[in-house]
Each structure stands twice: as structure tokens, then as C-alpha cells.
Amino acid sequence: MGYLSTICILSCINITAVLGLAVLTGYTGLFSIGHAGFMAIGAYSSAVLFLEFNLPFWLVLPLGGLVAGCSSLIIGYPAFRGLGKLRGDYFAIATLGFSETVRLLLNNTYPHFGGAYGLTGIPPLTTLPVAAGVALLALLGAHNLMTSQHGKNCVAVGQDEVAAQMMGVNLFTTKLKALFISAAYAGVAGALFGFYMTYLSPGNFGIGLSSDLLAAVVFGGMQSLIGPAITAFLLVSIPEFLRFLVEWRLIIYGILFVVVMVYRPQGLLGYRDLDFSRFWRMVHGLQGRG
Amino acid sequence: MVFFLQQLVSGISIGSIYALLAVGYALVYSVYNFTNWAFDAFMVTGAFAAFYGISLYHMPFPAAIAFSIVMTVALAMFVETVAYRPLRAHNAPRLFMMISAMGASLAVVNIANLAFGGSFRKFPEITAGAYRLGGVSVGRMDLFAAGFACVVLGLLWLFLERTRFGLGVRASALDTVTAGLMGVNNNQVALIIFGISGVLSAVAGVFFGAKYAVYPYLGTVTIKAMIGSIIGGIGSLPGAVLGSLLLGIMETMISSYISSVYRDLFSFSILVIMLLFFPSGLMGAKRVVKL
């Protein structure tokens, strides 16, 4: 049971972070190679708020998300200002630089953050119900967001920036909001991760983690929440059963990135989304038959 | 003063490696308007090819460089054909290009990591010793690297300005579609550009490996080259060289006068500042100097 619940908790954490990235990359079309940086900020800020300021657990989770969201504006504000095709590339390189910088700073800040030794003594408060509850809330929140006007703006920006602007969508605020939400999701996921592992080290939040998150979104599909959520779960659980392939993981991801982009750019469930009404109809149908 | 000059020399030496990579970025960008995210994979291939050429097959250094260039160009053309060309053919969104390139780089770098191991290897000594100029010592290898970089960039300029293929590349840089209509073979131009990127990143990889160490993740320095090309104004080749040299010098100054821990923080802040205040870079505003 312990083993199974480990996989489930890690899946829920991964799903929360991946949903955030799906909002940014899948819907708004912005490529982030440094989402692990936001997870690191959420994890460390919530742990420090808990340990040093004695704030309750239920409060430090959203606060971790808030801090991560605010920190994302440091790169979002300069990168989204102005137009130009290369803005997306600038943004991607800025996310990479940002996450590397965060890791570097955490590695060298010994008071309160533990530096390269890591931050220890975090109580194990992330239980399965907490993680599953947060993941479910995250899914519902992202679904509501993406069916709102803001979500439609995000899709428009992702499809064609010029056309979206012509229709009166404010590119700057739409992108900035999407980034803020996405980073906040990653921050909450990072906070859950810290309170699950009970130990944080800057090495946990490297480029490998960013690639994992990106892989879930790319394989799960563009403009979909349920697709990335499913692949996020699969990417945590499958490697557990394929231990012998663990060294090959990033190689396989890399090759699959190319294959998916060339042969099936929409991914597993691209452009298809949660339809709760269909779900309820199905439930009612089953009840009717019973 | 001597200390300052010494740091200036080191800065130019690392800056010249950034410059090779930054020119590669600028070249691909100027023609296809997208950033080649697979550059780190090319660089790693170049460094490892030269390292194993020398340490396993006892090649002389020039042969090792040639071997490294051949291997890297082959990889670059392979990546172009497999990961980019099908996407270009059906006008895929830029996001897909980025993901595909990221995948190619992830695969190659991790294959290198798995096949050769993640350890840091010392590059075999090529030329030791240093020249002394009034108290400032200039490493023979650094001098050689900077000279070699100049020669490669000079040859590239000659190729672009003086040959038929170069003309095709410049025409595509102005307008890819029109150039295609005028009889320029766009796929051939793409292969040429990626071949050139391969040469540039192989040379950069070899000299970076020789200066520091050879390891699978050495390609992460390409982020510096990208910052260099943004400082210079992306898409401009002279800008890329200038920006990279400036970044190399500033980084070395920060490391020696403040702390080497904050060197990368500084480079990243430069990126943010450039994006905020000089989005078109130092030389990017003049569209005339696109190539």
C-alpha cells in the first residue's frame, strides 16, 4: 500500500504542475523549459514559511503558489513586452536562465535555505487525500479558467497572435496572466513535493524535471487538460514498472518529442477536452439502465 | 591594471567561443526565423568526437578537429532532415519546431551521457605554456582558439559573400519564399546552414572542452551564446560576435572582481535588461546588416 500510495501522491503532484504548464504551453503556445524553477520557488518558500514563520500547512500551500506566480513576472514582464516573432524564443530562453539562476541561488544560500546541503526537517504533511484533493481542485480550476473568456483569449493568442490582437485581445496581459497561473500551479506542486519528501535539495529541480513536465504536456496534447493529466500520471507510474529503462528515459522522451511533432503534433488527446456534461449524461445513462 | 588586462584576455578567450556559437544562432535565425535549440547537442558531439579521436585513436590535433567537424556536420544535417524539414514542409507553428528541436537535443545529450558516462574528462594537452606581455600572460591555447575562431568566421564571411551557395543563403535570408521561386533550393540552403552550424559548434565544442573539461552537459553554455546574440541583436552576424565578446568580458570581470557564484546570475540579468530596454540589441535595429 505504501508503494502504491507513493506512486499516487507523486502522480497527483505531477498532475498539478503539468496542468499549469498545459495552460501556458498547450493553450497559450508559450514554451517553457524552466518550469522546475517555479516548483523550486514554491517548494522552498512554503517550507521556509512553515518552518520559520510557523504558518499553518493549509496556508503555506497557496502562499507557495503565490510566491512562484509573482516571481514569474520577473521574466514575463520583460519577455512579453513588445511584439515580434522571436518573443516566444526569448521567453523560452529566459525561463531556462531563470530556473538555472534559482537553482544557483538556492545552492549558495545557506542561512534558512540550507544551500547545497538541502533543507531538512519538513514534516510529512502531504498525504494522499491532500495531494489528490489539490490535483482535483487544480483540474477543476484549470477547466473553468480555460472555458472562461480568459481561456478563449489564451487559445486565440496560441493560435495566431496577430489575429488575436486584431480581435481586441490584449496580448501582454493574456500572456502574463497565463504565465502567472501556470507558475502558481507549479509553485503549489512544488510545495506539496517538499512536504511529501520532507527534504529539499536544489538538485531536485534541474532540467530533468522541466523536461518531465514538458513531456507530459507534449504527449498529452495541445489545448487539452485531461490529456496532459493522463500522461502526467502515466509518466510517473510507467517508469516504476520499467525500472530497467530508467537511464533511457530522457533519450526516449527526446526521440518521442520529435516523432510526436512530426507524425502526431496534436498529441494523445489534443484539442479535445473535458466535457463534464457528457460525463454527467453518461452517469445518468448508467443509472437509467440500472 | 595588470590584473584587469589579464581578466580582459580571459574574457576575450571565452567570448570567442561564445561568438562561434552565437554566429550559428544568428545564421539559422536570419534565414528561418527560428532559434536552433539543438545547438548544445551539436557542441557535445564535437567535443566528444575530438576527445575520443585523440585519446582513443591517437589522432594528431588537426585530424581530431577535422574528425569532430565531420561528425558534427553529419549530426546537424541529420537533425535538419529528421526533426526540422518535415515540420517546415507543412508550415508547423514555431512551438512545434521548438519542441522537436528540444527533443533532438535531449536525445543526443542523454545518449552521450549514457554511452560515455557523465564524468568530467580532461582534454589531452595540445600546447602548453603561455606568452608573457608586460606581466599579462596569454595562454598559447587561448590564443590559438581565438585565432582559429577568427579564421573560421572569416571563411564563413567569404563563403557567404563570395560564393554561389552563399548568395543562395543570403537570398533565403531576405525572403525564403521568393528565393525559392527564383530557383534557390531551400532544402539545400537548409542543409548548408546546418552544415555551417555544425562546423561552428564543433570548433566551439573542441575549444570549450580543451579550456575546461569534456562532459555530456557542456552544451548548457549555449545559453550564454544565445544571450550574446541577443545582446548583439539577434539575426545580425557582426552583432553576435560583438555581443558574445562583450558578454565574455563582463562575465570574467564579475567572476574576478565580485564572485564567480554570481556570474550566471549576472548573465541572466543582462538578458532581462536587454529584453526590457534594448529589445533589438546593439546592432539588430539596422535591418541592412541582417547578414
Side-chain angles (χ1 to χ4, degrees):
Chain A
M1 184 58 208
Y3 182 59
L4 205 64
S5 80
T6 298
I7 294 179
C8 288
I9 291 176
L10 286 177
S11 294
C12 289
I13 294 173
N14 201 20
I15 286 172
T16 310
V18 162
L19 285 172
L21 192 60
V23 168
L24 188 72
T25 300
Y27 282 85
T28 323
L30 292 165
F31 189 55
S32 164
I33 342 173
H35 244 56
F38 301 127
M39 278 185 81
I41 290 181
Y44 272 86
S45 59
S46 63
V48 167
L49 285 171
F50 185 89
L51 294 174
E52 309 267 332
F53 295 90
N54 298 318
L55 294 180
F57 177 59
W58 59 265
L59 188 61
V60 296
L61 281 187
L63 279 180
L66 188 68
V67 174
C70 292
S71 73
S72 75
L73 303 181
I74 299 174
I75 49 175
Y77 184 77
F80 297 150
R81 255 174 32 138
L83 273 172
K85 275 196 166 174
L86 212 65
R87 287 276 139 184
D89 297 39
Y90 287 170
F91 172 71
I93 199 72
T95 57
L96 182 61
F98 180 78
S99 70
E100 289 299 299
T101 310
V102 166
R103 220 152 53 91
L104 194 83
L105 284 179
L106 288 173
N107 239 331
N108 291 290
T109 313
Y110 286 90
H112 310 300
F113 290 97
Y117 300 129
L119 187 60
T120 49
I122 309 166
L125 293 176
T126 303
T127 53
L128 186 54
V130 173
V134 171
L136 199 65
L137 269 180
L139 184 61
L140 283 175
H143 176 71
N144 282 342
L145 191 78
M146 285 303 121
T147 45
S148 72
Q149 185 58 45
H150 173 66
K152 287 172 193 160
N153 287 352
C154 286
V155 172
V157 170
Q159 294 279 322
D160 190 331
E161 287 196 2
V162 179
Q165 202 176 27
M166 297 281 274
M167 299 306 286
V169 176
N170 187 335
L171 295 183
F172 180 68
T173 50
T174 305
K175 288 179 184 175
L176 213 55
K177 272 189 211 164
L179 174 65
F180 182 91
I181 292 159
S182 170
Y185 268 58
V188 172
L192 285 174
F193 181 76
F195 283 95
Y196 176 69
M197 298 302 277
T198 70
Y199 166 76
L200 286 172
S201 144
N204 288 339
F205 302 98
I207 187 92
L209 179 62
S210 296
S211 310
D212 281 352
L213 299 177
L214 201 62
V217 174
V218 171
F219 302 154
M222 295 292 144
Q223 280 181 41
S224 165
L225 293 173
I226 195 72
I230 292 172
T231 43
F233 170 73
L234 291 178
L235 291 183
V236 171
S237 46
I238 291 175
E240 295 294 325
F241 302 109
L242 301 173
R243 280 277 158 158
F244 58 97
L245 281 177
V246 73
E247 289 174 316
W248 288 81
R249 190 192 52 160
L250 287 176
I251 300 174
I252 296 171
Y253 282 5
I255 293 170
L256 277 180
F257 275 18
V258 178
V259 171
V260 167
M261 281 302 115
V262 171
Y263 293 104
R264 198 180 157 77
Q266 73 271 35
L268 181 69
L269 286 170
Y271 307 109
R272 237 174 285 171
D273 215 345
L274 282 183
D275 191 347
F276 284 108
S277 59
R278 209 164 62 192
F279 173 74
W280 287 120
R281 268 205 306 279
M282 213 168 71
V283 171
H284 287 304
L286 287 177
Q287 280 170 347
R289 234 181 293 160
Chain B
M1 189 59 196
V2 171
F3 183 71
F4 176 80
L5 285 175
Q6 184 68 63
Q7 300 313 314
L8 193 68
V9 168
S10 329
I12 293 172
S13 132
I14 184 70
S16 63
I17 294 176
Y18 294 164
L20 285 170
L21 294 164
V23 165
Y25 276 120
L27 192 65
V28 174
Y29 171 72
S30 66
V31 178
Y32 287 112
N33 276 317
F34 81 96
T35 312
N36 175 19
W37 291 96
F39 241 125
D40 53 343
F42 301 172
M43 199 181 160
V44 172
T45 310
F48 269 99
F51 175 77
Y52 281 111
I54 293 177
S55 62
L56 278 187
Y57 302 108
H58 307 289
M59 289 180 183
F61 187 59
I65 287 198
F67 175 63
S68 144
I69 288 177
V70 169
M71 295 297 285
T72 317
V73 168
L75 175 79
M77 290 184 169
F78 176 75
V79 168
E80 203 287 318
T81 330
V82 172
Y84 290 131
R85 184 172 296 176
L87 293 177
R88 259 206 333 270
H90 56 254
N91 260 328
R94 300 166 58 73
L95 177 67
F96 293 2
M97 291 265 206
M98 281 195 216
I99 294 172
S100 185
M102 172 91 189
S105 131
L106 207 58
V108 171
V109 170
N110 285 290
I111 286 172
N113 193 19
L114 191 62
F116 306 126
S119 61
F120 287 70
R121 298 159 186 80
K122 181 150 175 32
F123 207 84
E125 194 99 32
I126 311 300
T127 49
Y131 300 102
R132 296 197 74 80
L133 283 164
V136 181
S137 91
V138 183
R140 213 171 277 181
M141 192 65 198
D142 287 346
L143 208 62
F144 180 60
F148 202 91
C150 288
V151 170
V152 169
L153 292 178
L155 284 177
L156 173 64
W157 182 81
L158 278 180
F159 174 80
L160 289 175
E161 294 290 327
R162 294 278 182 271
T163 65
R164 243 172 64 92
F165 293 114
L167 188 66
V169 171
R170 283 184 295 142
S172 292
L174 276 179
D175 188 331
T176 314
V177 178
T178 313
L181 291 173
M182 303 304 269
V184 174
N185 183 341
N186 276 327
N187 282 338
Q188 193 189 34
V189 166
L191 279 182
I192 291 173
I193 289 172
F194 274 83
I196 295 171
S197 312
V199 175
L200 294 170
S201 47
V203 174
V206 172
F207 286 121
F208 185 84
K211 193 169 168 59
Y212 298 104
V214 179
Y215 54 99
Y217 293 103
L218 68 80
T220 46
V221 296
T222 50
I223 187 175
K224 299 289 180 56
M226 202 183 273
I227 295 175
S229 73
I230 290 175
I231 295 177
I234 202 151
S236 150
L237 301 198
V241 174
L242 181 70
S244 305
L245 287 176
L246 278 178
L247 183 69
I249 292 168
M250 287 189 289
E251 265 192 9
T252 318
M253 294 296 167
I254 294 284
S255 313
S256 47
Y257 284 102
I258 300 173
S259 159
S260 61
V261 169
Y262 297 110
R263 192 189 60 199
D264 291 355
L265 178 65
F266 168 79
S267 318
F268 173 67
S269 323
I270 288 275
L271 172 67
V272 170
I273 291 167
M274 288 307 289
L275 290 181
L276 266 177
F277 300 110
F278 311 99
S280 52
L282 297 177
M283 298 179 80
K286 293 181 235 150
R287 297 295 286 174
V288 196
V289 288
K290 207 176 169 193
L291 255 181

